Amino acid sequence: MVLPRVVWVVSPSVSYSQAEVLVATTWECNLDCSYCFVHRQNLTADNRHMTSEQAVQVIEALDQGLPHVGSICLHFYGGEPLLDLSVMKTMVEKAKQKQPGRFRFSITTNGTINSPDVFDLLEEGKFYVILSIDGPARIHNECRRTKGNTTTHELVMQFLENLRSRTHCAVRGSAVVRANWRLSQASAYLRSLPVDSIKAQAVRVPAGAAYALNEGEKQLYRRDLEEIGRQVIADLESGRPPKDDRFSNRVLQLLTGKKRSSFCGAGQTAFGITPDGTILPCVLLNAELNKLGHIFDDPTVWSAAGKKWQAAHQAKQQCIKCPAFPLCGGGCPAIMPICGEDECDIVRQNCEIATKIFEHFRTKPERLLALAGIT
């Protein structure tokens, strides 16, 4: 890949104006998905749930420990976050006591819990909802079943309908691409749904594992990525923000000339909090090896530990030499040990396509502002 002529300015991968914190109030889940990344990491062995007292302290700890950012996005993750609805509500209500705009809320959910209280809370917090749905019933139900082995596609469709009729939440449809289900098919299905944005990505399992893409399917995946890039260009030419936003951040990086110093800002502008209140650079990393501190610690302790963690986890030399490094930052520290070279191949291609999009609009860069929601 040949990077465009850009004056690179070294900058964290996430702006200091905002931070994102993945909060797992529980690792428990009501589903037993065949390819579950969290289960593969053995996180589900921890069956603890966050308490209301801890939920209040999460808000206090982040407010005090991240004074250098203007906005903090609490992204509820798991497990299934909606199994701990009361704890989520406690955080939303506590956050309201802080400066307006200080906290925002996001959630990744399997969309199977359809109680009225769920939609009331999502509306109250103006959540950005990432809804997991792999495809039509025959595809979705193959992997995404309850622990009692019942199918869930109908429940998710009901959840989406309720979300649209009862809230004003923005919704992102999220699908896993796997063996015998290609990227173009998943994307087309997501586009058929009443969602605001979409992303379908390859299953994150080791090579040769169940549902992993074979070599032929990887080639199709790369071909489909190129087609998505062409669709993004067509959308921007028409003045529309693209529904598939996977390339947006990297195109905007090229537009601003900012080089990533890390993949995601883990330990500095990105953190994770486990059900027992442990603070990590990312909630998907091994807690014993990567612990920064606890929500009840002095915030300066875990904040300083985060900076040390990031400094100690610089990109490998092979990454720094890669042409994609300015747009990549060295790969996700949680995902790379699982997917290795396959993940690298995908990220490299994403960077290449982002570069093509940027180059297409080099003489009319104002068209790219739609990627940042500016029209």
Side-chain angles (χ1 to χ4, degrees):
M1 178 179 71
V2 179
L3 290 171
R5 295 180 300 279
V6 174
V7 178
W8 291 107
V9 178
V10 177
S11 173
S13 59
V14 182
S15 169
Y16 276 108
S17 65
Q18 61 183 357
E20 182 170 21
V21 181
L22 286 176
V23 180
T25 62
T26 178
W27 289 120
E28 287 191 19
C29 187
N30 57 333
L31 301 193
D32 189 21
C33 301
S34 309
Y35 50 67
C36 180
F37 179 81
V38 170
H39 180 73
R40 186 174 297 278
Q41 295 288 78
N42 200 35
L43 298 175
T44 52
D46 184 351
N47 61 3
R48 284 171 290 192
H49 288 248
M50 187 173 286
T51 67
S52 294
E53 180 186 16
Q54 289 172 325
V56 169
Q57 185 59 25
V58 166
I59 300 299
E60 292 293 353
L62 295 176
D63 189 41
Q64 296 171 28
L66 300 174
H68 54 290
V69 300
S71 175
I72 301 169
C73 178
L74 281 189
H75 185 155
F76 292 97
Y77 199 77
E80 173 49 51
L82 293 177
L83 293 176
D84 269 346
L85 193 64
S86 64
V87 171
M88 288 178 56
K89 184 172 180 62
T90 296
M91 285 193 221
V92 170
E93 292 177 346
K94 182 63 179 178
K96 284 183 176 180
Q97 300 174 17
K98 302 301 180 181
Q99 182 179 349
R102 178 65 166 148
F103 286 92
R104 297 177 294 110
F105 300 97
S106 179
I107 184 173
T108 295
T109 177
N110 60 39
T112 61
I113 302 176
N114 274 288
S115 74
D117 289 346
V118 164
F119 303 102
D120 289 345
L121 179 61
L122 294 178
E123 175 67 6
E124 180 182 357
K126 298 296 183 289
F127 274 74
Y128 179 66
V129 180
I130 302 169
L131 181 60
S132 298
I133 175 167
D134 283 356
R138 68 177 182 84
I139 295 296
H140 181 91
N141 289 335
E142 179 184 353
C143 292
R144 303 189 66 81
R145 292 173 172 258
T146 69
K147 294 184 183 299
N149 201 35
T150 58
T151 59
T152 62
H153 185 270
E154 185 175 352
L155 287 173
V156 179
M157 291 296 97
Q158 182 183 346
F159 186 96
L160 180 57
E161 181 180 348
N162 286 333
L163 199 58
R164 281 318 198 186
S165 63
R166 296 173 61 98
T167 80
H168 296 85
C169 297
V171 186
R172 183 179 193 173
S174 177
V176 172
V177 177
R178 56 185 193 263
N180 301 314
W181 181 239
R182 62 184 289 186
L183 175 57
S184 60
Q185 294 171 306
S187 294
Y189 179 75
L190 291 177
R191 287 178 183 277
S192 74
L193 301 176
V195 297
D196 301 295
S197 59
I198 67 169
K199 186 175 181 182
Q201 62 185 16
V203 63
R204 284 163 165 169
V205 294
Y211 300 108
L213 304 182
N214 61 35
E215 289 304 316
E217 289 169 330
K218 290 176 187 177
Q219 291 182 15
L220 290 175
Y221 188 93
R222 290 191 284 269
R223 189 184 307 170
D224 291 344
L225 273 177
E226 294 287 347
E227 180 55 38
I228 291 172
R230 288 189 285 271
Q231 181 62 55
V232 168
I233 290 174
D235 288 339
L236 292 172
E237 286 284 13
S238 301
R240 300 187 304 267
K243 204 162 192 177
D244 191 314
D245 58 3
R246 74 182 69 213
F247 307 118
S248 297
N249 285 340
R250 290 189 171 97
V251 176
L252 291 172
Q253 269 186 257
L254 289 163
L255 185 63
T256 58
K258 290 184 178 180
K259 176 182 176 180
R260 292 196 181 203
S261 59
S262 63
F263 183 78
C264 63
Q268 193 164 11
T269 55
F271 294 89
I273 300 179
T274 68
D276 70 352
T278 297
I279 300 177
L280 304 170
C282 172
V283 79
L284 294 175
L285 291 172
N286 182 286
E288 293 182 4
L289 299 178
N290 298 280
K291 181 177 180 179
L292 303 179
H294 193 274
I295 55 174
F296 284 105
D297 290 342
D298 180 339
T300 60
V301 172
W302 57 262
S303 180
K307 293 177 183 178
K308 290 181 180 179
W309 184 93
Q310 189 177 76
H313 290 77
Q314 297 298 311
K316 299 177 181 178
Q317 281 300 311
Q318 64 195 61
C319 293
I320 294 174
K321 294 177 181 179
C322 176
F325 180 70
L327 291 176
C328 168
C332 173
I335 300 299
M336 289 303 295
I338 302 296
C339 307
E341 191 59 33
D342 284 343
E343 183 73 7
C344 266
D345 287 343
I346 292 172
V347 173
R348 277 193 292 264
Q349 186 174 7
N350 284 341
C351 293
E352 291 172 6
I353 295 171
T355 300
K356 291 178 183 177
I357 295 169
F358 175 75
E359 286 287 6
H360 181 90
F361 292 98
R362 180 179 282 279
T363 60
K364 41 190 174 181
E366 67 280 358
R367 297 286 182 91
L368 297 176
L369 296 179
L371 299 176
I374 302 172
T375 56

